[in-house]
Amino acid sequence: MGILDSIPHVHAVPSHRPWPRAVVTEAGWQAAIDRLVEGGLTLLGFWGEPTAVHMAMIDGGSAEIAVVTYECTAGTFPSVAGHHPPALRLERTIHDLFGLVPTVADDLRPWLDHDVWSKSYPLSGRDASRDVRPYQFLPSEGEALHQVAVGPVHAGIIEPGHFRFTANGEHVVRLEQRLGYTHKGIESLMQGASLAAAAKLANRTSGDSAVAYAFAFARAVEAALDIEAPSRATYLRGLMAELERLANHLGDIGAICNDASFALMHAQTGILRERCLRAANVAFGHRLMMDVIAPGGVTRDIAPDGVAALCTLLAEIDKVFPRLIELYDNTASLQDRTVTTGIVKTEYARQFGAGGYVGRASGRNFDARRMLAYAPYDRLSFEVPVLEAGDVNARVWIRIREVEQSVALIAQILDMMTPGEIMSALPAACGECEGLAVTEAFRGDVLIWLKLGQELRVERCHLRDASWFQWPLLEAAIEGNIIADFPLCNKSFNCSYSGADL
Amino acid sequence: MRKTLLESLTHGSLAEPAPVPDESALAELAAKVDRAAQARLGRSLAIREVDAGSCNGCELEIHALSNAFYDIERFGLRFVASPRHADVLLVTGPVTKNMRQALERTYNATPDPKWVVAVGGCAIDGGIFRGSYACVGGVSEVVPVDLHIAGCPPSPTDLLKGLLALLENVSGKG
């Protein structure tokens, strides 16, 4: 049975691919919310347009996806967040950007809007001014409580964001995040952009996931235009995606240990990470492999000495990495910091649809590469590690196991790849069409939805980072832990600021 | 652990020879760094990194400067946790309007003499984010910039070339 069979809808939109999108009435919208609340469906995305809101949902059992659309004829829509908390930040963002009002909302404080843009509701297409009040953090009451304000400029070389801790002595009673500092207006720059310009923006939504974003963007365009990338191009995309995952996971494993003052691991994984980036540079001409994946395929083939560079890299990881795993596993002082620290309950991971290592360390068996089996992963064999403990240690182990899987995947792809075309021609023009794509970045699933207009220009593009559904869980995970363990917990999540601030 | 440590000690260093300081950076700096500052600092600079809305790509490469291949501390360059300890602000991103005030306050919190290095295409003029309602568009529109390092993102070697040029000027060798 399809998702839309159980949700009353007015009509399905024929030009939306590959999954269906349907316009619903208030009853249909409410039915969708009910399915999210009862847990039959998981919220995959929630975004606005000047006069409509869309919700993408996935059925965890059948891997089926559907989008429902509510037309906000009166400038309002029934609040999702009031019933389903994972939608809250997305709902506040829809209000910030489009001025649409959720009814009845418990929390309509601004999220991305810090009242310095010189205009309100920048994507609404109309002039309206917002009633601005000083930002109120949520209250915590108690005699001995004190607040610690951190950021937006942090002590390390990391992205900006504000953390407001309320603590009782050493212990965190409440953490509230205030993000949006890196909001660049990417979705407004997308409007009217050519495919080439839009792809550049997608590559730079979150620099550590440039490949995953470019991959999702290309797939969304291909879905909209109903074309497919050539087989060799999909293998090359897979190579880059796994290289990106390797580099990030290796960097993270070391950085997490470093936040527990275990610098040796950081130094060792730093060497492996650098070797990954150098191999990427040899094979694809850019250390972060930006702008190689494009709608239709890839813009360049792997360099002649690229295969050798990758083989050398794999051999080096095979040699060094097992020793590093042993080092992690046998250092009691390190385990003392990571085991039982920052636990994410399995129930929260399920409810929020937390992707990546955050979800998989807390029992959520979801990986877009396997669930949605997009090319080339439909032809590759790999395992998706899942643990239940949900602590920093589990998030480290998921990464360790995924490094091993990525090494095996790269070897498989190098084996299976055959010569051939790397780019399918795009049509010169198209009617209005829409595409949706989900790819698995190193930190979790990236969703991109777009609408193309005449001359292949982007009319609207929404990019949803995995971090949207992970950041709120960090607030829950730190509760009852000591403030000194926050860097460790935060690094074990390694959420994106830029990807979620847009 | 002992085995890994011992091997690290007995194997040769991975650190690579220093690149030659960037010519255009030397020229840009020659006019800006005064002798008085040179006399005071010696051959050591403390760097505070400020992400003013980058995509995080520049941060990844700035991080790489500390790995065994580039080993930035051998040059007397080190990253510090507070602007109050810094000689240099390394600023990335198109300066989002939401970060503008934080950047200004970080600059004001840095003691004189100080230098600002704008890193990456966005930091020069907003790059691909130029023209957005949410971006100021270039670090020099908010605080005075002494050196620009281009690239999207600049490689660690590019970063090192620029920073070595700064070091040479500041220490009176430029």
Side-chain angles (χ1 to χ4, degrees), chain A residues 12 107 276 418:
Chain A
D107 180 359
C276 287
T418 50

Side-chain angles (χ1 to χ4, degrees), chain B residues 60-156:
Chain B
L60 296 175
E61 295 298 51
I62 292 170
H63 254 296
L65 288 173
S66 300
N67 75 31
F69 294 87
Y70 306 104
D71 190 16
I72 191 173
E73 295 213 8
R74 70 186 143 140
F75 303 111
L77 298 163
R78 65 202 167 89
F79 292 100
V80 293
S82 166
R84 299 204 189 277
H85 306 157
D87 308 306
V88 178
L89 292 183
L90 203 59
V91 187
T92 64
V95 190
T96 57
K97 290 187 181 167
N98 288 353
M99 268 307 284
R100 180 185 193 136
Q101 188 191 40
L103 175 59
E104 286 168 346
R105 290 173 69 170
T106 305
Y107 179 80
N108 292 335
T110 310
D112 283 320
K114 58 189 165 190
W115 293 272
V116 175
V117 180
V119 170
C122 304
I124 292 175
D125 63 357
I128 61 167
F129 304 110
R130 191 178 176 77
S132 159
Y133 65 85
C135 295
V136 179
V139 177
S140 61
E141 294 188 32
V142 181
V143 294
V145 174
D146 299 286
L147 172 65
H148 295 86
I149 301 176
C152 186
S155 69

Side-chain angles (χ1 to χ4, degrees), chain A residues 97 112 114 116-119 122 152-160 180-186 188-189 200-201 204 206-208 262 264 268 270-271 273-275 277-278 286-288 290 323 327 331 498, chain B residues 1 3-5 7-8 14 16 48-57 59-64 67-70 79-81 94 96-99 102 106 128-135 152-153 155-156:
Chain A
L97 299 181
L112 299 180
H114 292 196
V116 289
W117 293 339
S118 70
K119 66 174 168 183
V153 178
H154 297 295
I157 304 171
I158 59 168
E159 300 180 85
Y181 289 93
T182 69
H183 177 72
K184 294 178 269 294
I186 290 177
S188 87
L189 292 166
K200 268 194 173 289
L201 287 165
R204 287 153 186 83
S206 180
D208 51 20
F262 194 66
L264 175 61
Q268 294 289 330
I271 293 169
R273 178 184 157 84
E274 177 68 19
R275 291 198 194 283
L277 300 188
R278 289 180 174 203
H286 190 281
R287 286 164 55 92
L288 303 180
M290 283 176 169
R323 221 187 296 156
L327 181 62
T331 305
S498 182
Chain B
M1 188 192 319
K3 198 174 162 197
T4 309
L5 274 173
E7 273 199 17
S8 309
L14 288 170
E16 293 166 340
R48 170 67 253 183
E49 201 268 349
V50 182
D51 175 337
S54 90
C55 74
N56 196 28
E59 278 63 37
L60 296 175
E61 295 298 51
I62 292 170
H63 254 296
N67 75 31
F69 294 87
Y70 306 104
F79 292 100
V80 293
T96 57
K97 290 187 181 167
N98 288 353
M99 268 307 284
T106 305
I128 61 167
F129 304 110
R130 191 178 176 77
S132 159
Y133 65 85
C135 295
C152 186
S155 69

Side-chain angles (χ1 to χ4, degrees), chain A residues 31 38 60 131 135-136 156 162 173 185 198 275 289 292 296 348 400 407 427 429:
Chain A
E38 78 200 18
D131 177 24
Y135 193 82
Q136 293 286 327
H162 180 83
V173 174
R275 291 198 194 283
M289 298 169 284
V292 182
Y348 286 162
I400 289 174
V407 167

Side-chain angles (χ1 to χ4, degrees), chain A residues 231-352:
Chain A
S231 164
R232 183 173 176 82
T234 66
Y235 280 123
L236 291 169
R237 288 174 173 185
L239 265 189
M240 287 184 270
E242 295 313 311
L243 259 179
E244 182 176 83
R245 196 179 324 279
L246 262 186
N248 282 305
H249 278 352
L250 287 167
D252 277 2
I253 292 167
I256 294 167
C257 295
N258 199 44
D259 276 344
S261 301
F262 194 66
L264 175 61
M265 184 72 97
H266 188 229
Q268 294 289 330
T269 57
I271 293 169
L272 291 182
R273 178 184 157 84
E274 177 68 19
R275 291 198 194 283
C276 287
L277 300 188
R278 289 180 174 203
N281 193 38
V282 171
F284 298 104
H286 190 281
R287 286 164 55 92
L288 303 180
M289 298 169 284
M290 283 176 169
D291 305 323
V292 182
I293 297 181
V298 290
T299 55
R300 52 167 292 167
D301 209 323
I302 189 168
D305 46 354
V307 174
L310 292 180
C311 290
T312 310
L313 172 71
L314 297 190
E316 179 70 14
I317 294 175
D318 276 341
K319 190 178 103 194
V320 178
F321 196 58
R323 221 187 296 156
L324 298 182
I325 302 174
E326 206 187 310
L327 181 62
Y328 178 77
D329 206 16
N330 293 332
T331 305
S333 60
L334 184 54
Q335 303 262 321
D336 182 50
R337 296 290 306 277
T338 59
V339 176
T340 71
T341 303
I343 294 174
V344 175
K345 293 180 190 157
T346 52
E347 170 52 25
Y348 286 162
R350 186 204 58 75
Q351 183 190 15
F352 277 73

